[in-house]
Amino acid sequence: MRTKTKVLLALLMAFVVHLSSAQEKMISGTVTDGSGLPLPGVNVVIKGTTQGTQTDFDGNYNLQAEVGQTLVFTYLGQKETQATVGAQNIINIQMEEDAQALEEVVVVGYGVQKRKEITGAIASVSGGDIQGLVTPSFESQLAGRAAGVQITTNNGILGEAPRIRIRGLGSISSGTYPLVVVDGVPIITGDIGGYASTNALNSINPNDIESFEILKDGAATAIYGSRAANGVILITTKKGKKGSTQVSYNVVTGFASPIKTFDLLNTAQFLETANEKRTNRGQAPWAIGNDYDTDWQSAVLNSNALQMDHNLSVNGGTDRTKYFMSLGFTDQDGVAVSNNMKRHSIRTNLEHDVFDWLTVGGNLAITRTELNGLNTGGNSLSGNIFNATRQLPNIPIYDPSNPTGFNLSADGSVVGQWDNTDPVGDNISNIGYVLVNNKFQSISNNTLASAFGEVKLLEGLTYRFQASANNTITNGFLYYSPIHGDGRGSNGRLQNNNQDYLRWNTQNIINYNTSIADAHNIGVTAVMEFQKDKFKSFFGTGTDLLDEFYNKNLVTGAYGTQTSGGSVTENGISSYVGRLSYNFKQRYFLQGSIRRDGISKLSEATRWNNFTGYSAGWNIANEEFFSGLNPAISLFKLRGSYSEVGNTDIGDYPYLGLTSASQYGTLNGIAFTQFGNDLLIWETSKKTDYGVDLGFMSDKLTISFDYYKNDIDGLILDVPVPQSLGVPDSRIKKNIGNMVNEGLEFAVNYTPFNTANFSWNVSANLTLDKNKITNLPEGQDIIGGTSTNTNIAPNLIIREGESINSIYGHRYWGVNPANGNPVYYKADGSLVQGNLDTQTYFVFNPSNPGDLSEASSLSAADDKFILGNSLPTYYGSVINRFTYKGFDFSFMFRYSGGNEVFNATRRDLVTQNFNNNSTEILGRWQSASNPGDGITPRLYASSNTFTNLTGHATTRFLEKGDFISLDNITLGYKLPSLVTDKLNVDMVRFFIQGQNLLTITDYKGLNPEMESSGVDINGTPRSKVLSIGLNVNL
Amino acid sequence: MKKIFKYITLSFFGISVISCSDETLLDLSPINNISLSDSYSSASLIESSVNGMYNAAAIGQYNSTNPNAGRGYIWGAAFVQQGDNRGEDVVNTATFYQLTYTATYDPTTANNVYYWIDGYRLINRANLVIEGVTTAAEAGIITQAVADDYIGQAKFLRAITHFELLNFFARPYNFSAGASHPGVPYREVGIDTQAEIDSEIVLGRNTVAEVYEKVLQDLDDAESLITNTSLTKASANAAIAFKTRVYLHMRDWDGVIAEGNKLTGEYTLEDSPNGPFNDSYGNSESIFSLTQAATMNPGVNAALASQYNRRRLVAISPIIWRDPSWLADDLRREDNSTETEVGTGMVFTAGGAKFTLKYKDGVNYTDASPVIRYAEVLLNMAEAQARRAAADLGASLSLLNQVRNRSLADPATQAYVAGDFANAGELVGAILKERRIEFLMEGRRWSDIHRLQGDDLQPINGIPQKVANGTPAAELYTLGTPYDGPYGVPAVPYADFKFVWPIPQVEINANPTLADQQNPGW
């Protein structure tokens, strides 16, 4: 069909050309845009004929035309321009920007809206802005890109999901992760299983992303109703564009290294302090021998991890069909030894106009991600950092005389003690052996398929049906060597598992847009959406292995003890949605939406709820009385919105009283494990937003300002029940709490220069955020905060009137100069010293510090204080972009602060056990005349829990989390067209890039962002990456 | 034509819309969990619910979010580990039990907190069994005889768990006249509704006397109701045996003897002191133990064979090792392990330190957790015979020798004779020492320290001083002289508030009634 048309057209043209050849002459010229840059691909047509051509890459065209004919120049985003052929042979055209046509369109829930008509708070990030950055998944690249959006990568492990917070932390016990929607399909997020951490969003190839829209306020999110409490991230993938086929190839190769490593003692320093711990306690030295000075961190960290990313894409289209296809391959080694990721991805987008009233299309994305992980437990004996920082420097990693080649104790239970009198403290393994032998793997196959049909019923009225399925299947494999490490106790361990997550989603969408009398613009959207999730998993485990030969998969009969298990959960959601928007001459805007959601997670009586959102805007700059100011002030819009949205991330059947299979030995049993509350309803987020958008000098400078308030009501809290009642988990879920996030956002974008040879753009954003718990059941504190991690929880509290997850513990005064005892404040402000010799407390009198006559105590219940706020109170970034001829240069500084971090890693590094220490311990109290740094007490062997109060937070290890970091810096160079023309390619660009090269902070740990809920506990260092790359367009 | 297409297309979409109804999408019920309301609806589910109660005893939950991933709190492993580490006869070598060992616990430390939480978790499951089984019997789902057996077992677990908590969270029976000082709340209602929470939350600590009375009442009921005779579930004999322990703590010596006599002929001591451990499920001496299977046990972080054997987190203390009453050739010192191979004896040596080998299966952790065995009943009776108003030192000595002689290399020359003891006090001293040796690493030490405060014959003041935390050096184990230091963990006097554990802070925070009833000093 297409070929036929072409042939026909060619014949016709030949005929026309032939007929008119006598009066024609050759016209040539160059077409440029408003700034004088050549415009390639401009259509040049002789008016009233089908004769025409396109400008080449340098904007030049040649065309046969007759005198008196009119040439019509058209180009997307430029005003149509006409020129009459006269005597001249050269017609140069400078086209003008068409503001109307260029009007930016923004993706919103279930549709698109013009940027200028938006009344909600939506941040847009172009995929191009983050292209080329080397990260395991796209979301960490969004850090700093938008006001109100906080993304934290708190360790260097590939496969772990970065933390995303949109306008603060949205819940106490329910989910706090935003909804992620790809091309209209809500996708599976979170960890999708296996034994290496596997972030579901890893499966999206960042190169395929055209743009992100981050919906922040109620007006923008209300259309997602019950799932909108934590904000929504809309991702639009690349689509085919009408025109000739474009092939592009991008490659980046980088080297990652730890952002920083720990400053540990060398052997000489270690021998001195380790033995001082013992002699202070009246015991014989335990550290002996200085044959080695081993850097154990080198056993767990790669300083030169290779990271590669290849991407090839093809896109193009005809009048009726548009297509996009991409292939991606990523191969990254982590900064942690044994951690790596390989991703193969393929994505196709296809759209076809069957008739002028019917468009069908589909997307298919298939990704296979292979991750190898490791034990990173902050308190695990074989946790990489926990272990490496505790190893003794005066023993070797390797021992050729041991059959394994590693330095192990005679029975293989712990790392060999060498000449030391005692085995290393905390019974740790030789991490070198563990990392070589033990395996933690996840292989995920992620399929995202969707198809749609769109029918134009009337002018402005469309009906769209979309069906999609997202399926992730993850195979996990775990192996523990029986010889040494975590598997020794069970004589080895083999584990395979399979986790299958299926989500299907159907949407029926009706959109109607009309304009009455060119003044009243009306938009209506109605949606019916159904979604069901099903999660199935099973696993098999073998312990007591036949031999370490069996280390690749479960093999029947190769182990003594076998266990298996599995689980199925499912949930559904049914939704009916309506949205009405109206504006008068783009001056006054009104929008309202309502969504009625039913979810299977709640009881029949409470499962349906309505979620509404309202917003209004006034673009003063479009008023006639303002037109005089328009040259200077191009945009002046006021916005306001209010909505009530919900949170469905509340578990699958939280309202039911349930039992769980609970075996006694091998006897089958069931037992009460979930207390039911059938009155449970949704958490409601009441979101308010007021904003101003300003544009100056034709939007050369734009400024946005937002005030937001998110009042989260009816928080589902695990209300503590007295433990002595024996209720499961001693908790009942009730809608009882109340929390407020409140803040200000500023965003500025300024382009002082924008010429053919030089341009400079600077954008900056700042968010001020404040969280406050306004109501807890009976005002009761929740000790442990939102964390279930036993290393983190004891340091946190949720208390009315305070910020969520405040750091809670003892206030440290310092070291008693007379005897080196640690001194703390009691609740009444008086001081107590922890007497190391007796491990009991005595009153401390600064004027008589040696006095140990009056016994006292340090109460975990009464003598604790709120020590700090774990949430940053300000954050933002400054991004600069320059181009000069073929060069481009950009860099981003990101900053954050106002929070405190409890540096539990630092506390671990001054352990009093027989382990290595950080150099901080050199500041210890040694005598009244040599009192050290005043912070580090006298050494006292094996007194860790008392000297360092390991069960509690103290101000001794509390630090400010403020920082400024140079997140990325890129220098690129595009080959001039002189060269590319010869190579017959459209574009060639080389670039070099650095990520996380510099962090300015007073924080004493590796990095102030390496915290979870405000606690830094033995995380793998984040990586800095130096990379080079190449982009080629054919 | 065009319109027809349009309508066909539309109706096709329309069908896909209608075919999805709200009911099928929203009316979902759990696939993994049987609802609580169904858990007593058939004979087999009732049996499973009873097993679920034992699951709480054997596994607990500890701080896990997984209801079946506990650390053996309270009867699966923790009562042994905590009971040992509160005493001076073991040395904690790592950080694991350090807070218990050095008495540096507070109301938030996990060891004492989860002792309380998992204890009451088990008690509530027992109470739910009593109620569920009673209702099911009334409804005719099971016979009254079957119901009685289950109810008896539930009462047994309820009784011994309250009694165990009493020994850690309250002062001993003889602390006040009539034991009128605070004990622990005795829970007798199965709580699964808000109304039951509201009515139970107002009940504060019962007095120690009240708890003893209820424990004995429950044990008497258990004795009369239970028909089960297997070792790993409660039996009538287990209730009787446990009563000898309770009466001993109450200092009701005649009660000890009366109960103990009921078991004569029911159990016999194994020939070897290693017998109850070599075959922990099939010996003639164990009275009540908890099952640990390879697939369901307190795990690498708590199973006795993991903690005491494989991971060597707790060593035998030189204090008891070098005690002269423990003869050098006593069979309970048998050590045939090598540096690389674990042997078959009762002790093994690693890094010069001595560790118990009572728990054999360091790979699959299948050793039963011993709760009470006949040797204890005999020594309880021996002590009672020596202490009762009409003391019978002969009977006492004979009972002591029954236990001790099987461990002697040459009983003919080494056995105790009447002339070894000048008075009842000395004999009781020997019995108490024998308990420390015989039940070493079985968690019994704390109970004895607790009940012997201010004792008339063999008083102990508080918690004795201990060897420093850490692996003791080999030379500290050299036999020949009693151990006399160095010590690294100071004694805790009886008067010190630390002698008893604090009620957990989480309980105090959530329970307005107990908030005012914290142990003094905490």
Side-chain angles (χ1 to χ4, degrees), chain A residues 23 175 249 321 647 857:
Chain A
Q23 299 143 356
Y249 172 67
T321 308
N647 191 337
S857 67

Side-chain angles (χ1 to χ4, degrees), chain A residues 426-539:
Chain A
D426 293 334
N427 291 322
I428 51 178
S429 58
N430 185 326
I431 193 67
Y433 179 91
V434 170
L435 289 179
V436 169
N437 287 279
N438 290 359
K439 297 174 185 172
F440 297 74
Q441 298 173 348
S442 297
I443 298 176
S444 307
N445 290 295
N446 190 329
T447 309
L448 176 60
S450 70
F452 72 89
E454 191 169 293
V455 182
K456 252 185 223 151
L457 296 164
L458 294 168
E459 183 60 34
L461 178 64
T462 59
Y463 164 71
R464 181 184 168 101
F465 172 75
Q466 175 184 298
S468 65
N470 189 187
N471 184 207
T472 73
I473 300 176
T474 305
N475 282 295
F477 173 64
L478 176 139
Y479 166 72
Y480 285 169
S481 162
I483 306 294
H484 181 66
D486 289 332
R488 184 178 170 272
S490 59
N491 193 29
R493 172 176 288 261
L494 280 172
Q495 230 162 287
N496 281 75
N497 76 354
N498 179 286
Q499 306 201 30
D500 183 332
Y501 206 135
L502 174 69
R503 167 178 295 175
W504 62 252
N505 176 290
T506 62
Q507 296 170 18
N508 294 277
I509 307 170
I510 289 174
N511 262 308
Y512 181 62
N513 285 296
T514 191
S515 191
I516 301 168
D518 252 356
H520 307 277
N521 302 304
I522 298 167
V524 182
T525 303
V527 183
M528 190 165 24
E529 180 178 5
F530 304 103
Q531 179 174 307
K532 187 164 180 192
D533 285 0
K534 188 161 192 172
F535 175 62
K536 283 171 83 163
S537 68
F538 61 88
F539 70 89

Side-chain angles (χ1 to χ4, degrees), chain A residues 281 411 426 488-489 508 528 561 563 568 574 607 657 659 661 663-664 668 670 723-724 729 790 861 942 952, chain B residues 17 22 27 32 34 36 48 51 55 61 63 68 95 98 106 187 232 291 295 310 312 362 364 488 505 507:
Chain A
R281 196 174 176 161
D411 65 354
D426 293 334
R488 184 178 170 272
N508 294 277
M528 190 165 24
T561 303
T563 46
V568 183
S574 232
R607 67 167 58 131
T659 67
Q663 287 182 313
Y664 172 48
N668 283 325
I670 57 170
Q723 278 67 17
S724 65
D729 299 319
T790 51
S942 312
H952 312 275
Chain B
V17 174
D22 287 343
D27 284 342
N32 297 329
I34 294 171
L36 187 63
S48 294
N51 289 336
N55 161 284
Q61 183 164 4
N63 62 13
N68 288 309
T95 312
Q98 188 173 347
D106 61 44
R187 303 280 180 207
T232 54
T291 298
T295 52
R310 191 85 185 197
R312 308 193 304 254
N364 287 319
Q505 194 60 38
E507 175 82 33

Side-chain angles (χ1 to χ4, degrees), chain A residues 10 23 134 147 182 191 260 315 413 428 552 588 766 769 780 798 859 886 988:
Chain A
Q23 299 143 356
V134 184
V182 176
D191 193 293
K260 202 174 162 192
N315 91 77
S413 64
I428 51 178
K552 300 199 169 53
Y588 314 106
L766 164 67
D769 186 61
Q780 245 178 54
I798 300 176
S859 163
V988 176

Side-chain angles (χ1 to χ4, degrees), chain A residues 281 283 355-358 381 410-411 413 422-423 426-427 453-457 463 465 482 488-491 504 508 528 530-532 534 543-544 561-563 566-574 576 598-600 604 607-608 653 655-675 720-730 732 734 780-781 783 788 790 837-840 857 859-862 864 913 942-946 952, chain B residues 2 5-6 9-10 13-14 16-17 20-22 24-37 39 45 47-55 58-59 61 63-65 67-68 93-95 98-99 102 104 106-108 116-117 120-121 124-125 128 185 187 191-194 197 200-201 232-233 289-296 300 310-313 339-340 362-365 468-471 488-490 497-498 505-507 509-511 514 521-522:
Chain A
R281 196 174 176 161
Q283 293 173 324
F355 305 109
D356 54 1
W357 55 269
L358 175 65
L381 303 186
D411 65 354
S413 64
D422 280 45
D426 293 334
N427 291 322
E454 191 169 293
V455 182
K456 252 185 223 151
L457 296 164
Y463 164 71
F465 172 75
R488 184 178 170 272
S490 59
N491 193 29
W504 62 252
N508 294 277
M528 190 165 24
F530 304 103
Q531 179 174 307
K532 187 164 180 192
K534 188 161 192 172
T543 55
D544 197 2
T561 303
Q562 40 191 305
T563 46
S567 143
V568 183
T569 55
E570 50 185 7
N571 62 72
I573 172 165
S574 232
Y576 304 87
I599 59 172
S600 64
E604 221 173 322
R607 67 167 58 131
W608 287 96
Y653 309 99
Y655 68 100
L656 286 174
L658 295 178
T659 67
S660 295
S662 306
Q663 287 182 313
Y664 172 48
T666 55
L667 301 173
N668 283 325
I670 57 170
F672 186 26
T673 51
Q674 178 173 302
F675 194 99
V721 173
Q723 278 67 17
S724 65
L725 300 183
V727 164
D729 299 319
S730 299
I732 300 177
K734 290 185 182 173
Q780 245 178 54
D781 291 346
I783 291 170
T788 52
T790 51
D837 292 326
T838 57
Q839 312 264 306
T840 50
S857 67
S859 163
D862 303 328
K864 281 191 174 179
N913 292 347
S942 312
S943 68
N944 226 12
T945 54
F946 189 79
H952 312 275
Chain B
K2 193 170 137 186
F5 266 137
K6 214 167 177 173
T9 317
L10 275 178
F13 292 145
S16 64
V17 174
C20 183
S21 82
D22 287 343
T24 54
L25 206 53
L26 303 184
D27 284 342
L28 302 176
S29 35
I31 298 168
N32 297 329
N33 311 86
I34 294 171
S35 86
L36 187 63
S37 50
S39 53
L45 282 177
E47 189 185 348
S48 294
S49 292
V50 172
N51 289 336
M53 167 179 74
Y54 284 100
N55 161 284
I59 304 297
Q61 183 164 4
N63 62 13
S64 175
T65 50
N68 288 309
T93 67
T95 312
Q98 188 173 347
L99 297 171
T102 57
T104 42
D106 61 44
T108 66
W116 175 275
I117 293 177
Y120 276 109
R121 180 173 178 263
N124 195 40
R125 283 198 187 171
L128 288 171
R187 303 280 180 207
I191 300 164
D192 58 3
T193 64
Q194 184 66 48
I197 290 174
E200 281 293 304
I201 203 169
T232 54
K233 290 193 171 177
S289 301
L290 285 166
T291 298
Q292 305 295 352
T295 52
M296 184 53 86
V300 70
R310 191 85 185 197
R311 295 181 67 182
R312 308 193 304 254
L313 295 182
E339 203 169 76
T340 52
V363 172
N364 287 319
Y365 319 140
N469 196 66
T471 306
V489 178
F497 68 97
K498 282 187 177 175
Q505 194 60 38
V506 281
E507 175 82 33
N509 291 344
N511 189 333
L514 289 191
W522 290 105

Side-chain angles (χ1 to χ4, degrees), chain B residues 84 89 134 187 224 233 238 263-264 312-313 342 354 357 359 387 438 464 472 484 522:
Chain B
D84 285 339
D89 289 341
T134 303
R187 303 280 180 207
S224 68
K233 290 193 171 177
L263 297 181
T264 307
R312 308 193 304 254
L313 295 182
V342 176
K354 302 293 180 188
L357 200 47
Y359 310 104
R387 285 178 183 267
E438 177 66 21
D484 62 352
W522 290 105

Side-chain angles (χ1 to χ4, degrees), chain B residues 144-463:
Chain B
Q144 192 58 48
V146 171
D148 284 346
D149 185 26
Y150 292 155
I151 291 167
Q153 293 178 44
K155 286 191 167 183
F156 173 82
L157 288 177
R158 177 167 89 182
I160 68 170
T161 307
H162 278 113
F163 180 70
E164 184 70 11
L165 294 175
L166 200 60
N167 288 337
F168 282 83
F169 292 95
R171 296 263 164 184
Y173 190 82
N174 61 354
F175 177 71
S176 66
S180 57
H181 57 287
V184 295
Y186 204 94
R187 303 280 180 207
E188 294 168 286
V189 173
I191 300 164
D192 58 3
T193 64
Q194 184 66 48
E196 286 160 338
I197 290 174
D198 296 341
S199 61
E200 281 293 304
I201 203 169
V202 300
L203 303 181
R205 295 174 75 167
N206 290 86
T207 66
V208 169
E210 285 165 357
V211 176
Y212 269 84
E213 190 185 331
K214 287 172 182 290
V215 165
L216 286 169
Q217 181 59 51
D218 275 345
L219 289 175
D220 284 341
D221 289 351
E223 181 187 347
S224 68
L225 292 172
I226 300 177
T227 52
N228 163 66
T229 55
S230 75
L231 168 67
T232 54
K233 290 193 171 177
S235 61
N237 285 341
I240 295 164
F242 218 91
K243 278 191 275 178
T244 67
R245 195 186 273 183
V246 176
Y247 281 125
L248 194 72
H249 281 247
M250 270 179 91
R251 317 180 80 78
D252 178 346
W253 317 118
D254 292 331
V256 175
I257 293 163
E259 295 295 335
N261 281 337
K262 293 184 191 170
L263 297 181
T264 307
E266 297 284 328
Y267 297 93
T268 54
L269 292 181
E270 287 281 319
D271 292 340
S272 153
N274 210 357
F277 305 98
N278 278 330
D279 186 356
S280 60
Y281 292 100
N283 65 78
S284 62
E285 179 176 337
S286 294
I287 298 175
F288 180 57
S289 301
L290 285 166
T291 298
Q292 305 295 352
T295 52
M296 184 53 86
N297 59 55
V300 70
N301 281 329
L304 291 169
S306 169
Q307 303 285 279
Y308 279 13
N309 171 349
R310 191 85 185 197
R311 295 181 67 182
R312 308 193 304 254
L313 295 182
V314 185
I316 295 168
S317 173
I319 293 171
I320 187 68
W321 185 258
R322 283 165 60 178
D323 193 290
S325 325
W326 193 0
L327 301 181
D329 53 4
D330 190 299
L331 300 183
R332 291 168 293 195
R333 292 185 189 269
E334 186 192 3
D335 179 359
N336 56 14
S337 301
T338 67
E339 203 169 76
T340 52
E341 289 292 320
V342 176
T344 57
M346 295 190 74
V347 170
F348 70 99
T349 310
K354 302 293 180 188
F355 296 88
T356 187
L357 200 47
K358 283 184 173 174
Y359 310 104
K360 315 284 185 187
D361 183 1
V363 172
N364 287 319
Y365 319 140
T366 54
D367 296 275
S369 306
V371 176
I372 196 161
R373 57 188 173 98
Y374 193 51
E376 185 188 331
V377 175
L378 292 175
L379 290 179
N380 289 348
M381 290 171 70
E383 193 176 331
Q385 291 287 11
R387 285 178 183 267
R388 64 197 291 199
D392 184 345
L393 299 189
S396 171
L397 178 62
S398 143
L399 287 160
L400 168 61
N401 280 339
Q402 230 187 97
V403 175
R404 182 168 178 264
N405 286 357
R406 65 168 171 178
S407 297
L408 300 178
D410 183 11
T413 57
Q414 295 170 324
Y416 285 134
V417 294
D420 291 339
F421 309 107
N423 52 42
E426 285 187 10
L427 178 55
V428 167
I431 294 167
L432 293 173
K433 191 66 67 59
E434 195 61 27
R435 293 172 70 93
R436 290 169 64 184
I437 300 165
E438 177 66 21
F439 304 123
L440 184 62
M441 313 300 270
E442 288 183 63
R444 301 302 320 134
R445 182 59 185 150
W446 171 249
S447 290
D448 283 352
I449 292 173
H450 189 253
R451 74 182 166 94
L452 294 170
Q453 299 299 317
D455 185 55
D456 51 343
L457 301 178
Q458 292 288 340
I460 301 178
N461 181 13
I463 306 168

